[in-house]
Amino acid sequence: MPGRPLDGLRVLEVATLYAAPQIGAMLGDLGADVVKVEPPSGDPMRRMGRRAAWDLVSRSKRSIVLDLAAGPDQETFRGLVRAADVLVENLTPEVRVRWGCTYDELASSNPRLVVVSVSCFGLSGPYSDRPGAGTLAEAFGGLTHMTGEADGPPMLASVAIGDTVTAFSGVIGALAACWSRDAQGREGSHVDVSMYEPILAIMAGTIAGWDGTSAPPHRNGSRVPGGVPRNVYRTSDERFVALSGTTDSQVARALTVIGRDDDVSRERFGRAEARMLVADELDALVASWIAARTRDDVMRAFIDARVPIAPVNDVRDILEDPHVTARGGIATVEPGPDLGAHRTEVLADWLA
C-alpha cells in the first residue's frame, strides 16, 4: 500500500494483553499515531515471558504511564481523550467506571471520539460480565468443536486465532466509524467488539449449511463436506502438502496427474454429485499417488496442471520462502517501547 493512509489519525490505547492491543498495532502499521496508556505497573504482557509477543503488539506505538486512579493523571488523560480520534479499550466494567472510561464519559469529553471496546462476549447480553480470552471465544463460537480428527476430541489451534480475528474486526469497526464521522458529518460512536462473533463469521458456512434438525456438523480432520479432494497429504520424503481441487475442472486435471484419466474414473469422479458418493475412494487415490512421490515432485505436478496445492510450511519454511520475501510478508519490528518512554513528547504533541 503506497504511503501511510492513516497519517494524522490519533489513537489512544487503554488496553492490555493481546487482542485489543493488536488493533492499535495494526492502525499504527497504517500510519496512525498510537499512544499506549499504561498503568504504573505496565501492561502485564511485558512480564509474561513472551518478549516477542510484547514487541509484536506494541510496535508502532508510544508509551505513556498514567495512574488513572489519581487526580492529576486523570486530568492529563482527559486532555489526551479530547485530542484523540479513536480510543481502544478492553477494561473490565468495574475498572471502566472507576477510571471514568465509560462511553458516556469519554463522549462527553470528545463527542467526535470513536471508542472501540473489546471483550470476550460483548457489552450486552447475559454473558457480558464474564471474563474471557481468544481461547474461550474459539471454543464458545464453535471453532474448537470443528477442529480435530473425526474420531478424536475437539482441539484448540496452536496459534492465537481468536485474538487476531478480533483485532481485524476492531480495525474494520474503527475505520468504518471514522468514515461515518469524517465523510458523513456525524459524531463519534461506540464500536462493540466481542471476541466470539468474529469466530461466528469463520463458522458462517458451517452454520448456514445445517438444516436445524439433523445432528450438528462435526469435525472431520482436514476434510470438508461437499468437497473432495481437499486434505493434507503426506509425501514420500515425510513432508506434507495441502491440496484443494474440488471443482469439476480441477478434479479432471487432478485425475490426469494421478493417472486416472479414463472413462470409468471420469464417470465416478468427474461430477460433484457423483464423486461425493465415493469421496473416500477419490481421497485415497490422491493420497496414495502423493505418498509415492517427494514433495517437490508432487508440487510440480499439480502446479503444472493448475490444481491448487501448497506446501505445509513450518516457520523456517516461511522465513526462507522466496515469495514471502519478495512481497515483504514478514517484517522485523523494533522492540516495544520502554514503560513510559514517550510521556514528554506525547504531551507536547497532543496537548500543546
Side-chain angles (χ1 to χ4, degrees):
M1 180 180 298
R4 293 167 59 83
L6 298 187
D7 265 346
L9 188 77
R10 287 177 167 176
V11 178
L12 196 60
E13 181 183 298
V14 193
T16 59
L17 298 176
Y18 204 60
Q22 287 192 75
I23 298 173
M26 292 176 184
L27 293 172
D29 291 341
L30 295 173
D33 179 10
V34 184
V35 172
K36 182 177 182 66
V37 176
E38 297 189 68
S41 58
D43 188 327
M45 183 67 81
R46 290 180 179 271
R47 305 183 297 277
M48 291 178 64
R50 300 174 62 196
R51 178 71 200 201
W54 164 250
D55 289 340
L56 179 69
V57 300
S58 61
R59 70 186 187 273
S60 307
K61 300 177 186 178
R62 299 190 284 179
S63 171
I64 180 171
V65 171
L66 295 176
D67 184 354
L68 295 184
D73 278 356
Q74 265 287 346
E75 289 302 311
T76 302
F77 178 65
R78 290 295 150 197
L80 295 174
V81 168
R82 286 190 290 270
D85 296 295
V86 177
L87 184 145
V88 179
E89 62 93 7
N90 65 348
L91 305 173
T92 65
E94 297 79 9
V95 172
R96 200 177 288 128
V97 170
R98 190 185 323 136
W99 287 0
C101 287
T102 65
Y103 176 70
D104 288 343
E105 291 171 289
L106 295 169
S108 68
S109 296
N110 181 356
R112 297 186 71 258
L113 186 67
V114 170
V115 177
V116 180
S117 294
V118 178
S119 61
C120 188
F121 295 101
L123 299 178
S124 62
Y127 303 158
S128 59
D129 61 345
R130 291 186 182 182
T135 296
L136 276 64
E138 294 168 31
F140 184 80
L143 181 62
T144 305
H145 174 75
M146 294 301 297
T147 305
E149 296 299 328
D151 57 353
M155 296 184 68
L156 292 165
S158 299
V159 293
I161 294 176
D163 295 272
T164 304
V165 296
T166 295
F168 283 124
S169 294
V171 169
I172 293 168
L175 296 181
C178 286
W179 172 264
S180 174
R181 177 193 65 198
D182 299 339
Q184 300 176 351
R186 298 171 180 168
E187 292 193 334
S189 56
H190 197 184
V191 180
D192 177 4
V193 181
S194 81
M195 301 183 78
Y196 81 89
E197 286 167 319
I199 299 297
L200 294 184
I202 295 175
M203 291 285 295
T206 300
I207 294 170
W210 185 44
D211 61 14
T213 58
S214 59
H218 192 76
R219 58 193 164 275
N220 196 26
S222 297
R223 301 271 294 276
V224 291
V228 63
R230 191 267 197 182
N231 212 329
V232 172
Y233 302 95
R234 186 192 301 268
T235 61
S236 64
D237 50 353
E238 297 299 312
R239 308 296 295 277
F240 291 90
V241 296
L243 186 146
S244 180
T246 57
T247 69
D248 286 355
S249 59
Q250 290 167 349
V251 169
R253 296 194 295 272
L255 290 174
T256 299
V257 171
I258 67 173
R260 300 298 296 244
D261 185 22
D262 54 73
D263 291 342
V264 173
S265 295
R266 287 192 293 271
E267 179 68 23
R268 290 180 65 77
F269 308 126
R271 294 176 297 108
E273 58 270 24
R275 66 177 167 271
M276 289 315 303
L277 300 175
V278 288
D280 290 346
E281 181 182 343
L282 177 56
D283 190 67
L285 288 171
V286 172
S288 177
W289 189 90
I290 291 175
R293 291 159 178 84
T294 67
R295 189 171 79 168
D296 286 348
D297 288 343
V298 169
M299 290 289 299
R300 189 177 304 110
F302 282 104
I303 289 172
D304 287 348
R306 298 197 61 78
V307 177
I309 190 170
V312 176
N313 286 332
D314 61 21
V315 171
R316 185 191 306 276
D317 296 327
I318 294 168
L319 295 176
E320 294 177 350
D321 189 275
H323 185 79
V324 175
T325 301
R327 287 182 54 83
I330 303 293
T332 300
V333 300
E334 295 293 327
D338 292 337
L339 182 61
H342 302 101
R343 181 184 179 97
T344 300
E345 65 181 66
V346 166
L347 298 185
D349 291 347
W350 282 40
L351 304 184

